[in-house]
Amino acid sequence: MKILSIESSCDETSAAVVEMGEQNRILSNIVASQIEIHALYGGVVPEIASRAHIEAVSEITYRALSEAGITLKDIDAIGVTNGPGLIGALLVGLNFAKSLAVSNGIPLIPVNHIKGHTAASYFLEDRPEPPFIALVASGGHTSIILVESYTKFTTIGRTRDDAIGESFDKVARIMGIPYPGGAEMDRLASIGDKSAIRFPSAAIADDSLDFSFSGLKTNAVNLLHNYGQKNEEYSKEDVAASYTKAVCSSIVKKLSLAFDRYDVKKLVLAGGVAANSHIRKELTSFCGKRKIAFYVPPKNLCGDNGAMIGAQAYYEYLDGNTAGSDLNAYPSSQND
Ligand code: KG4
Ligand code: ZN
């Protein structure tokens, strides 16, 4: 089954054509990033994001079709992210997808962005089959999810404030690293001393599976401001390494509790932060010790992209979750 999919929930306009079934293949996956525009402001400016999506969505979609070597006539369904995300940004992709679907008589499938992130792992050669536990960590979300079937997701743990990516980006910003600083924090952490600074845990100290990244982030921000006020030299590498160590151990702590609690033997890591080499390494080792199968998409499928939305759209379609012309977008997480 060939699916055209469109993603516009934040600062990437993306369209893809995927072929799903016995084998899952990406025929095209075009991502137009707005990062350069938002970097000027140190973060995503919602109205600018919506306007940039408007300019890009049509061209990106037709480029995805042409790179896949097909036309709309060959498409069996159109998948589109309808939430959560920036409402103005979501509406652009959604309305465009809806118009294409309605005017060409193609089924329209709404896709939850977080479910989409986990579906990026279905393109792995050895792909996960539910049930599994997923850690979805991105700029806007940090959740531990029990995935009972391809479409039944239950959030069992979540951040009570900041997302991991957001906290990486904020600490990076105070160190003068342009938005989004997550990838640069990853690189710096590889050369720093992770024992240089003791940061607090982001794992909430109770028996929940929740996190609080705000406390950890504020601790780092205060430390950096202190260095600044005293004109003291510091090592960005050591800050990045120590911060990343605190993030990794917080994740391992709550995932460990999750696997104690649920009789599941698979872990999927997903979302933009899943590109982090230290988190990938830490979870590989955690899963090895606990005899848990570990799945993580290649780095180019961790960040927002259309192909992951197409993959999830397939399973939504199989479940009969298509939408009519009254489909709307929603900004924050529902039903997940
Ligand atoms: O999933 P995504 O593309 O967008 C959202 O849905 O939010 O995630 C973007 C986030 C940003 O915060 C970015 O800094 C972070 O993912 N990120 C990383 C790395 N690559 C991207 N964070 C840590 N290490 C990385 N290598
Ligand atoms: Zn995302």
Side-chain angles (χ1 to χ4, degrees):
M1 173 169 183
K2 288 194 181 68
I3 299 175
L4 169 68
S5 48
I6 295 173
E7 152 65 36
S8 71
S9 66
C10 190
D11 57 353
E12 260 100 27
T13 317
S14 182
V17 178
V18 298
E19 190 165 15
M20 302 292 295
E22 284 278 287
Q23 282 201 331
N24 299 337
R25 289 197 308 142
I26 299 175
L27 305 185
S28 65
N29 191 17
I30 315 287
V31 183
S33 172
Q34 307 171 2
I35 280 176
E36 277 182 24
I37 316 172
H38 299 294
L40 297 172
Y41 305 94
V44 179
V45 183
E47 182 172 337
I48 295 178
S50 312
R51 290 173 182 273
H53 285 306
I54 285 265
E55 287 171 14
V57 70
S58 176
E59 193 204 322
I60 295 298
T61 304
Y62 283 99
R63 215 192 309 160
L65 286 167
S66 114
E67 214 170 87
I70 59 173
T71 67
L72 269 179
K73 288 195 183 63
D74 307 304
I75 293 294
D76 301 299
I78 297 179
V80 65
T81 309
N82 74 323
L86 301 171
I87 192 70
L90 285 163
L91 286 171
V92 174
L94 185 134
N95 220 26
F96 187 75
K98 192 193 281 187
S99 313
L100 280 184
V102 170
S103 58
N104 292 280
I106 303 171
L108 177 66
I109 308 162
V111 176
N112 172 289
H113 183 78
I114 295 168
K115 289 181 175 172
H117 270 302
T118 66
S121 60
Y122 303 146
F123 294 111
L124 289 166
E125 211 169 312
D126 170 28
R127 59 192 209 227
E129 259 176 55
F132 56 76
I133 285 177
L135 172 69
V136 180
S138 71
H141 316 279
T142 301
S143 304
I144 301 177
I145 300 166
L146 178 65
V147 179
E148 288 169 84
S149 77
Y150 287 104
T151 52
K152 184 161 192 283
F153 284 48
T154 307
T155 301
I156 53 176
R158 57 160 60 85
T159 180
R160 294 187 187 168
D161 37 58
D162 294 359
I164 301 184
E166 186 183 359
S167 89
F168 270 129
D169 294 345
K170 179 69 195 253
V171 174
R173 188 176 163 186
I174 308 278
M175 296 200 289
I177 298 163
Y179 172 85
E184 179 61 6
M185 288 284 280
D186 186 356
R187 193 189 68 77
L188 292 172
S190 307
I191 39 182
D193 172 8
K194 62 183 179 189
S195 317
I197 306 158
R198 247 184 96 90
F199 284 118
S201 175
I204 300 240
D206 61 14
D207 63 358
S208 77
L209 299 176
D210 289 351
F211 301 99
S212 165
F213 283 94
S214 164
L216 169 60
K217 176 199 75 180
T218 306
N219 194 285
V221 168
N222 288 344
L223 178 83
L224 291 167
H225 282 153
N226 240 310
Y227 286 144
Q229 277 160 358
K230 294 186 195 150
N231 243 336
E232 231 176 274
E233 294 261 325
Y234 67 90
S235 155
K236 287 184 190 175
E237 291 81 356
D238 288 356
V239 173
S242 305
Y243 193 84
T244 304
K245 182 185 164 196
V247 169
C248 287
S249 60
S250 310
I251 291 173
V252 165
K253 195 164 181 194
K254 289 303 184 185
L255 281 179
S256 188
L257 207 55
F259 281 97
D260 288 343
R261 216 164 273 179
Y262 297 92
D263 186 24
V264 175
K265 281 288 175 201
K266 292 174 199 166
L267 173 67
V268 170
L269 174 64
V273 179
N276 187 280
S277 54
H278 308 278
I279 299 176
R280 291 166 88 100
K281 209 153 86 193
E282 194 74 26
L283 292 183
T284 304
S285 143
F286 164 75
C287 288
K289 282 185 208 139
R290 300 260 325 225
K291 307 242 176 318
I292 293 164
F294 182 45
Y295 305 87
V296 58
K299 291 187 181 182
N300 65 320
L301 292 182
C302 289
D304 293 348
N305 68 87
M308 67 185 202
I309 300 303
Q312 183 61 26
Y314 173 67
Y315 295 102
E316 299 294 343
Y317 179 83
L318 294 184
D319 259 14
N321 299 332
T322 53
S325 59
D326 59 347
L327 177 66
N328 214 329
Y330 60 92
S332 56
S333 288
Q334 293 173 337
N335 62 30
D336 53 88

